Amino acid sequence: MTNAYAPEQVIKKVASLTAERLSRFEHLQIVTPVNTSEGPRYYTLDVRRITLLCELTDDFEVNEDALVIIMSLLDQLHGAHDRLEQVVEAIGAEPSEIKLRLLRRLHDAGAGI
């Protein structure tokens, strides 16, 4: 099973997607295919993103300017989540006394931990 899809395959997978709509999402730079020797390809995450974009425009009538902002915020949130996971992993590698001290500081700061 492949996780790279040609534009035609994505259009078949996402019910309300058309070639014109996909092209518009690309023009807005909220979806970017990977160029391969076989042509442009979208990965599973791209297909999910395109599905969300179609749902936002169809079900909630979100306009293009708002789509760009929403997707930018989602990308930023995803990036922050990745960085937080790295911090948690780094803290996990520290000795117990450092972990305890950090936990106390977070508690004192009202982090709700």
Side-chain angles (χ1 to χ4, degrees), residues 35-51:
N35 290 314
T36 70
S37 60
E38 298 172 337
R41 293 294 182 263
Y42 300 89
Y43 292 103
T44 302
L45 186 59
D46 298 315
V47 175
R48 291 180 183 149
R49 187 178 182 96
I50 292 164
T51 301

Side-chain angles (χ1 to χ4, degrees), residues 17-68:
L17 185 64
T18 63
E20 295 79 21
R21 193 176 218 185
L22 181 58
S23 176
R24 190 68 192 148
F25 292 154
E26 289 176 16
H27 177 75
L28 293 170
Q29 297 180 342
I30 49 181
V31 174
T32 304
V34 174
N35 290 314
T36 70
S37 60
E38 298 172 337
R41 293 294 182 263
Y42 300 89
Y43 292 103
T44 302
L45 186 59
D46 298 315
V47 175
R48 291 180 183 149
R49 187 178 182 96
I50 292 164
T51 301
L52 175 61
L53 289 165
C54 289
E55 289 172 354
L56 288 170
T57 55
D58 294 343
D59 299 344
F60 300 100
E61 299 178 3
V62 174
N63 67 36
E64 289 181 351
D65 291 334
L67 278 181
V68 171

